[in-house]
Amino acid sequence: MKLVVLACLAAVAVAAPQLQDVRPIVQVLRDERQDDGNGYFNYALEADNGIYMAAAGTPGSEGQTNIEGTYRLPDGVGGFQDIVFIANENGFQPQSSLLPTPHPLPDHVVELLRIAEEQRASGITFDETGRRLTR
């Protein structure tokens, strides 16, 4: 029994990770931050692996903070892609070629949307069951 316990302890000791030269995986090349305390701020962060982020914030009209900025991420094929964004009272709005786009609408849907817009412009309304309300 003692031999089994000793063998288990030896197996755990052998399987334990060996600490070698421990150093950060990523070095920070630039870390700049400025916060005026009144809703205005700027920051920029850049790492040696190509990752980058910069943003500027301003107070918004509805009590929120509006932020405009960009960040760069690896694209998985050896390059990097930038994502430009705005975050304000309308939410987070990123723009990048990496982001998926919706399929184009079929022609009949485009036509139905045109008709609906025409009806709205001329004052035509419908109730919750789809019946036209006359004025």
Side-chain angles (χ1 to χ4, degrees), residues 66-132:
N66 293 336
I67 304 172
E68 293 187 30
T70 183
Y71 54 96
R72 182 180 310 132
L73 297 172
D75 62 10
V77 291
F80 290 87
Q81 292 290 325
D82 288 342
I83 295 149
V84 177
F85 68 91
I86 296 173
N88 57 22
E89 64 274 0
N90 298 317
F92 181 70
Q93 304 157 52
Q95 296 178 353
S96 172
S97 61
L98 287 177
L99 299 174
T101 56
H103 294 288
L105 294 174
D107 291 337
H108 71 279
V109 173
V110 172
E111 177 64 15
L112 290 172
L113 291 171
R114 185 193 62 74
I115 292 169
E117 185 55 39
E118 262 181 26
Q119 290 174 339
R120 269 192 290 284
S122 65
I124 298 172
T125 58
F126 298 88
D127 67 10
E128 61 277 351
T129 63
R131 293 189 177 135
R132 182 177 171 168

Side-chain angles (χ1 to χ4, degrees), residues 3-70:
L3 184 60
V4 172
V5 171
L6 184 61
C8 288
L9 288 174
V12 168
V14 170
Q18 303 298 318
L19 297 178
Q20 296 179 4
D21 181 24
V22 178
R23 61 183 193 146
I25 297 172
V26 176
Q27 296 291 321
V28 175
L29 302 176
R30 182 170 73 157
D31 185 359
E32 299 172 0
R33 303 171 201 215
Q34 177 187 359
D35 187 351
D36 295 340
N38 56 2
Y40 293 91
F41 67 87
N42 293 300
Y43 65 85
L45 177 69
E46 186 173 5
D48 67 349
N49 63 358
I51 293 176
Y52 168 82
M53 182 167 189
T58 58
S61 61
E62 298 181 21
Q64 81 284 356
T65 299
N66 293 336
I67 304 172
E68 293 187 30
T70 183

